[in-house]
Amino acid sequence: MAIFIALAIHEIAHLFSAIILNIKFDKVKITIFGFNINADLENVSLFKKIILFFSGPFCNIVLYIVLRNSLYKYFAEINFFLAFVNLVPIVPLDGGNICKSILEYFLNSKVVSRYIIMTNSFFIVCFLIIIYRYKIWVYLLLIIMGLKGIIEENMILMERNIKVSYYKNKRKKYFNGYYK
């Protein structure tokens, strides 16, 4: 039960950050991995994105620091674990979204998507090794998250390729006299 409370606090921190930063969102979804804020981040500055993504783990770290020497030490440790896991640089976790936002600032989106796919694949292999070697099955959730990120990035790449080919064909038809 404590993990669900820590997850809820984590996501509420993201929600408050979105409100404070004036980031528009249309709904909050409850998923198997917690809450998910559906926000349009296309025109949000890098600084605001980093604050938004870091707010959840930051809240968990603060709870850990405040509660680690109290009767709620177990809850504090859960918050530390949740912050640590969320800062792993795989998309869709907060750490991965921070890395993706920074990379998108410097590189084109196709390169960033490929980087995210490679990074997620690398961590999936690492998590599989940890599961095999130490039998720590909680890493299976991280593998699922990493696979989810790979699927989402592949869908983004596919959508971009479809748009590019559509507009190329439209231009080609226009210049070949179809629209005279």
Side-chain angles (χ1 to χ4, degrees), residues 42-68:
E42 287 295 318
N43 297 320
V44 175
S45 72
L46 174 62
F47 183 69
K48 284 185 176 183
K49 285 181 187 178
I50 290 173
I51 290 173
L52 176 68
F53 293 130
F54 191 66
S55 63
F58 178 75
C59 182
N60 292 122
I61 291 168
V62 168
L63 283 171
Y64 169 74
I65 291 169
V66 169
L67 299 174
R68 70 180 175 205

mmCIF file of all heavy atoms in Angstrom, residues 42-68:
data_model
loop_
_atom_site.group_PDB
_atom_site.id
_atom_site.type_symbol
_atom_site.label_atom_id
_atom_site.label_comp_id
_atom_site.label_asym_id
_atom_site.label_seq_id
_atom_site.Cartn_x
_atom_site.Cartn_y
_atom_site.Cartn_z
ATOM 1 N N GLU A 42 4.886 20.130 -26.935
ATOM 2 C CA GLU A 42 5.546 20.574 -28.163
ATOM 3 C C GLU A 42 6.124 21.980 -28.040
ATOM 4 O O GLU A 42 7.231 22.236 -28.476
ATOM 5 C CB GLU A 42 4.571 20.520 -29.347
ATOM 6 C CG GLU A 42 4.270 19.132 -29.826
ATOM 7 C CD GLU A 42 5.488 18.427 -30.411
ATOM 8 O OE1 GLU A 42 6.257 19.065 -31.159
ATOM 9 O OE2 GLU A 42 5.673 17.246 -30.110
ATOM 10 N N ASN A 43 5.376 22.902 -27.472
ATOM 11 C CA ASN A 43 5.818 24.300 -27.411
ATOM 12 C C ASN A 43 6.246 24.728 -26.011
ATOM 13 O O ASN A 43 6.225 25.913 -25.695
ATOM 14 C CB ASN A 43 4.699 25.213 -27.923
ATOM 15 C CG ASN A 43 4.377 24.931 -29.377
ATOM 16 O OD1 ASN A 43 5.275 24.707 -30.176
ATOM 17 N ND2 ASN A 43 3.107 24.919 -29.709
ATOM 18 N N VAL A 44 6.623 23.761 -25.194
ATOM 19 C CA VAL A 44 7.069 24.043 -23.832
ATOM 20 C C VAL A 44 8.597 24.150 -23.842
ATOM 21 O O VAL A 44 9.282 23.358 -24.491
ATOM 22 C CB VAL A 44 6.598 22.936 -22.863
ATOM 23 C CG1 VAL A 44 7.140 23.137 -21.475
ATOM 24 C CG2 VAL A 44 5.070 22.867 -22.841
ATOM 25 N N SER A 45 9.127 25.130 -23.129
ATOM 26 C CA SER A 45 10.581 25.336 -23.105
ATOM 27 C C SER A 45 11.289 24.161 -22.440
ATOM 28 O O SER A 45 10.706 23.426 -21.632
ATOM 29 C CB SER A 45 10.919 26.627 -22.364
ATOM 30 O OG SER A 45 10.710 26.465 -20.977
ATOM 31 N N LEU A 46 12.562 24.006 -22.770
ATOM 32 C CA LEU A 46 13.388 22.942 -22.190
ATOM 33 C C LEU A 46 13.411 23.049 -20.670
ATOM 34 O O LEU A 46 13.269 22.049 -19.961
ATOM 35 C CB LEU A 46 14.812 23.014 -22.753
ATOM 36 C CG LEU A 46 15.838 22.062 -22.149
ATOM 37 C CD1 LEU A 46 15.436 20.617 -22.395
ATOM 38 C CD2 LEU A 46 17.226 22.346 -22.702
ATOM 39 N N PHE A 47 13.570 24.252 -20.158
ATOM 40 C CA PHE A 47 13.621 24.482 -18.713
ATOM 41 C C PHE A 47 12.346 23.986 -18.024
ATOM 42 O O PHE A 47 12.400 23.285 -17.014
ATOM 43 C CB PHE A 47 13.855 25.974 -18.443
ATOM 44 C CG PHE A 47 13.995 26.317 -16.998
ATOM 45 C CD1 PHE A 47 15.109 25.919 -16.279
ATOM 46 C CD2 PHE A 47 13.000 27.029 -16.345
ATOM 47 C CE1 PHE A 47 15.238 26.225 -14.929
ATOM 48 C CE2 PHE A 47 13.110 27.339 -15.003
ATOM 49 C CZ PHE A 47 14.241 26.938 -14.295
ATOM 50 N N LYS A 48 11.192 24.314 -18.591
ATOM 51 C CA LYS A 48 9.922 23.878 -18.002
ATOM 52 C C LYS A 48 9.763 22.364 -18.080
ATOM 53 O O LYS A 48 9.247 21.733 -17.144
ATOM 54 C CB LYS A 48 8.742 24.564 -18.704
ATOM 55 C CG LYS A 48 8.544 25.996 -18.301
ATOM 56 C CD LYS A 48 7.293 26.563 -18.953
ATOM 57 C CE LYS A 48 7.009 27.971 -18.498
ATOM 58 N NZ LYS A 48 5.756 28.497 -19.079
ATOM 59 N N LYS A 49 10.200 21.757 -19.192
ATOM 60 C CA LYS A 49 10.109 20.297 -19.319
ATOM 61 C C LYS A 49 10.936 19.605 -18.242
ATOM 62 O O LYS A 49 10.494 18.643 -17.615
ATOM 63 C CB LYS A 49 10.588 19.847 -20.695
ATOM 64 C CG LYS A 49 9.632 20.112 -21.817
ATOM 65 C CD LYS A 49 10.232 19.593 -23.119
ATOM 66 C CE LYS A 49 9.409 19.973 -24.308
ATOM 67 N NZ LYS A 49 10.010 19.510 -25.576
ATOM 68 N N ILE A 50 12.167 20.101 -18.040
ATOM 69 C CA ILE A 50 13.047 19.484 -17.044
ATOM 70 C C ILE A 50 12.440 19.622 -15.649
ATOM 71 O O ILE A 50 12.436 18.661 -14.868
ATOM 72 C CB ILE A 50 14.465 20.082 -17.123
ATOM 73 C CG1 ILE A 50 15.141 19.631 -18.420
ATOM 74 C CG2 ILE A 50 15.302 19.680 -15.915
ATOM 75 C CD1 ILE A 50 16.468 20.276 -18.704
ATOM 76 N N ILE A 51 11.902 20.783 -15.331
ATOM 77 C CA ILE A 51 11.250 20.969 -14.025
ATOM 78 C C ILE A 51 10.066 20.021 -13.892
ATOM 79 O O ILE A 51 9.888 19.372 -12.857
ATOM 80 C CB ILE A 51 10.810 22.435 -13.826
ATOM 81 C CG1 ILE A 51 12.040 23.330 -13.654
ATOM 82 C CG2 ILE A 51 9.884 22.573 -12.614
ATOM 83 C CD1 ILE A 51 11.722 24.805 -13.632
ATOM 84 N N LEU A 52 9.245 19.921 -14.939
ATOM 85 C CA LEU A 52 8.072 19.042 -14.909
ATOM 86 C C LEU A 52 8.487 17.594 -14.673
ATOM 87 O O LEU A 52 7.941 16.917 -13.801
ATOM 88 C CB LEU A 52 7.288 19.167 -16.217
ATOM 89 C CG LEU A 52 6.096 18.225 -16.359
ATOM 90 C CD1 LEU A 52 5.004 18.600 -15.359
ATOM 91 C CD2 LEU A 52 5.564 18.247 -17.776
ATOM 92 N N PHE A 53 9.456 17.102 -15.433
ATOM 93 C CA PHE A 53 9.859 15.693 -15.311
ATOM 94 C C PHE A 53 10.605 15.416 -14.013
ATOM 95 O O PHE A 53 10.509 14.326 -13.466
ATOM 96 C CB PHE A 53 10.706 15.264 -16.512
ATOM 97 C CG PHE A 53 9.953 15.233 -17.810
ATOM 98 C CD1 PHE A 53 10.451 15.864 -18.929
ATOM 99 C CD2 PHE A 53 8.734 14.587 -17.910
ATOM 100 C CE1 PHE A 53 9.767 15.844 -20.125
ATOM 101 C CE2 PHE A 53 8.028 14.561 -19.100
ATOM 102 C CZ PHE A 53 8.547 15.194 -20.208
ATOM 103 N N PHE A 54 11.361 16.386 -13.505
ATOM 104 C CA PHE A 54 12.133 16.164 -12.289
ATOM 105 C C PHE A 54 11.292 16.356 -11.028
ATOM 106 O O PHE A 54 11.687 15.899 -9.951
ATOM 107 C CB PHE A 54 13.359 17.090 -12.259
ATOM 108 C CG PHE A 54 14.330 16.736 -11.178
ATOM 109 C CD1 PHE A 54 15.019 15.539 -11.208
ATOM 110 C CD2 PHE A 54 14.546 17.587 -10.115
ATOM 111 C CE1 PHE A 54 15.907 15.189 -10.198
ATOM 112 C CE2 PHE A 54 15.429 17.259 -9.096
ATOM 113 C CZ PHE A 54 16.114 16.058 -9.149
ATOM 114 N N SER A 55 10.139 16.993 -11.120
ATOM 115 C CA SER A 55 9.340 17.297 -9.927
ATOM 116 C C SER A 55 8.895 16.048 -9.169
ATOM 117 O O SER A 55 8.885 16.044 -7.937
ATOM 118 C CB SER A 55 8.130 18.151 -10.294
ATOM 119 O OG SER A 55 7.269 17.448 -11.178
ATOM 120 N N GLY A 56 8.541 14.985 -9.873
ATOM 121 C CA GLY A 56 8.123 13.751 -9.202
ATOM 122 C C GLY A 56 9.241 13.120 -8.393
ATOM 123 O O GLY A 56 9.104 12.894 -7.181
ATOM 124 N N PRO A 57 10.399 12.814 -9.039
ATOM 125 C CA PRO A 57 11.517 12.265 -8.264
ATOM 126 C C PRO A 57 11.998 13.207 -7.159
ATOM 127 O O PRO A 57 12.365 12.751 -6.074
ATOM 128 C CB PRO A 57 12.617 12.055 -9.314
ATOM 129 C CG PRO A 57 11.889 11.916 -10.603
ATOM 130 C CD PRO A 57 10.680 12.788 -10.480
ATOM 131 N N PHE A 58 11.989 14.509 -7.418
ATOM 132 C CA PHE A 58 12.413 15.476 -6.401
ATOM 133 C C PHE A 58 11.519 15.382 -5.167
ATOM 134 O O PHE A 58 12.013 15.373 -4.033
ATOM 135 C CB PHE A 58 12.385 16.897 -6.972
ATOM 136 C CG PHE A 58 12.775 17.945 -5.966
ATOM 137 C CD1 PHE A 58 14.101 18.107 -5.602
ATOM 138 C CD2 PHE A 58 11.818 18.752 -5.372
ATOM 139 C CE1 PHE A 58 14.477 19.069 -4.665
ATOM 140 C CE2 PHE A 58 12.171 19.713 -4.439
ATOM 141 C CZ PHE A 58 13.504 19.871 -4.086
ATOM 142 N N CYS A 59 10.223 15.270 -5.377
ATOM 143 C CA CYS A 59 9.281 15.137 -4.257
ATOM 144 C C CYS A 59 9.585 13.859 -3.463
ATOM 145 O O CYS A 59 9.585 13.876 -2.234
ATOM 146 C CB CYS A 59 7.854 15.129 -4.794
ATOM 147 S SG CYS A 59 6.605 15.041 -3.514
ATOM 148 N N ASN A 60 9.864 12.759 -4.174
ATOM 149 C CA ASN A 60 10.201 11.509 -3.494
ATOM 150 C C ASN A 60 11.506 11.620 -2.710
ATOM 151 O O ASN A 60 11.620 11.075 -1.612
ATOM 152 C CB ASN A 60 10.302 10.358 -4.500
ATOM 153 C CG ASN A 60 8.974 9.997 -5.124
ATOM 154 O OD1 ASN A 60 8.838 10.039 -6.334
ATOM 155 N ND2 ASN A 60 7.983 9.662 -4.307
ATOM 156 N N ILE A 61 12.485 12.339 -3.249
ATOM 157 C CA ILE A 61 13.755 12.535 -2.548
ATOM 158 C C ILE A 61 13.541 13.370 -1.284
ATOM 159 O O ILE A 61 14.089 13.061 -0.219
ATOM 160 C CB ILE A 61 14.803 13.188 -3.482
ATOM 161 C CG1 ILE A 61 15.212 12.185 -4.563
ATOM 162 C CG2 ILE A 61 16.021 13.657 -2.699
ATOM 163 C CD1 ILE A 61 16.007 12.783 -5.710
ATOM 164 N N VAL A 62 12.724 14.414 -1.377
ATOM 165 C CA VAL A 62 12.430 15.250 -0.204
ATOM 166 C C VAL A 62 11.748 14.409 0.872
ATOM 167 O O VAL A 62 12.101 14.498 2.052
ATOM 168 C CB VAL A 62 11.574 16.473 -0.597
ATOM 169 C CG1 VAL A 62 11.027 17.178 0.622
ATOM 170 C CG2 VAL A 62 12.386 17.436 -1.461
ATOM 171 N N LEU A 63 10.776 13.588 0.474
ATOM 172 C CA LEU A 63 10.102 12.717 1.446
ATOM 173 C C LEU A 63 11.096 11.756 2.100
ATOM 174 O O LEU A 63 11.015 11.502 3.305
ATOM 175 C CB LEU A 63 8.961 11.948 0.778
ATOM 176 C CG LEU A 63 7.698 12.740 0.516
ATOM 177 C CD1 LEU A 63 6.729 11.936 -0.333
ATOM 178 C CD2 LEU A 63 7.045 13.140 1.825
ATOM 179 N N TYR A 64 12.017 11.239 1.301
ATOM 180 C CA TYR A 64 13.032 10.350 1.868
ATOM 181 C C TYR A 64 13.867 11.079 2.916
ATOM 182 O O TYR A 64 14.085 10.570 4.021
ATOM 183 C CB TYR A 64 13.932 9.789 0.761
ATOM 184 C CG TYR A 64 15.150 9.091 1.309
ATOM 185 C CD1 TYR A 64 15.032 7.840 1.898
ATOM 186 C CD2 TYR A 64 16.400 9.695 1.272
ATOM 187 C CE1 TYR A 64 16.145 7.199 2.424
ATOM 188 C CE2 TYR A 64 17.514 9.071 1.801
ATOM 189 C CZ TYR A 64 17.384 7.820 2.380
ATOM 190 O OH TYR A 64 18.476 7.193 2.916
ATOM 191 N N ILE A 65 14.339 12.266 2.581
ATOM 192 C CA ILE A 65 15.196 13.029 3.498
ATOM 193 C C ILE A 65 14.449 13.368 4.789
ATOM 194 O O ILE A 65 14.987 13.235 5.883
ATOM 195 C CB ILE A 65 15.730 14.302 2.808
ATOM 196 C CG1 ILE A 65 16.731 13.908 1.722
ATOM 197 C CG2 ILE A 65 16.367 15.254 3.808
ATOM 198 C CD1 ILE A 65 17.128 15.037 0.788
ATOM 199 N N VAL A 66 13.190 13.764 4.658
ATOM 200 C CA VAL A 66 12.409 14.172 5.827
ATOM 201 C C VAL A 66 12.048 12.980 6.713
ATOM 202 O O VAL A 66 12.084 13.087 7.944
ATOM 203 C CB VAL A 66 11.126 14.917 5.368
ATOM 204 C CG1 VAL A 66 10.167 15.126 6.524
ATOM 205 C CG2 VAL A 66 11.484 16.239 4.712
ATOM 206 N N LEU A 67 11.762 11.834 6.112
ATOM 207 C CA LEU A 67 11.223 10.697 6.874
ATOM 208 C C LEU A 67 12.220 9.582 7.172
ATOM 209 O O LEU A 67 11.882 8.629 7.877
ATOM 210 C CB LEU A 67 10.034 10.097 6.108
ATOM 211 C CG LEU A 67 8.850 11.025 5.865
ATOM 212 C CD1 LEU A 67 7.822 10.342 4.981
ATOM 213 C CD2 LEU A 67 8.236 11.460 7.181
ATOM 214 N N ARG A 68 13.453 9.671 6.701
ATOM 215 C CA ARG A 68 14.378 8.545 6.825
ATOM 216 C C ARG A 68 14.757 8.199 8.260
ATOM 217 O O ARG A 68 15.063 7.054 8.561
ATOM 218 C CB ARG A 68 15.632 8.798 6.004
ATOM 219 C CG ARG A 68 16.499 9.885 6.560
ATOM 220 C CD ARG A 68 17.722 10.126 5.734
ATOM 221 N NE ARG A 68 18.405 11.278 6.302
ATOM 222 C CZ ARG A 68 19.199 12.050 5.658
ATOM 223 N NH1 ARG A 68 19.437 11.810 4.406
ATOM 224 N NH2 ARG A 68 19.762 13.067 6.242
#
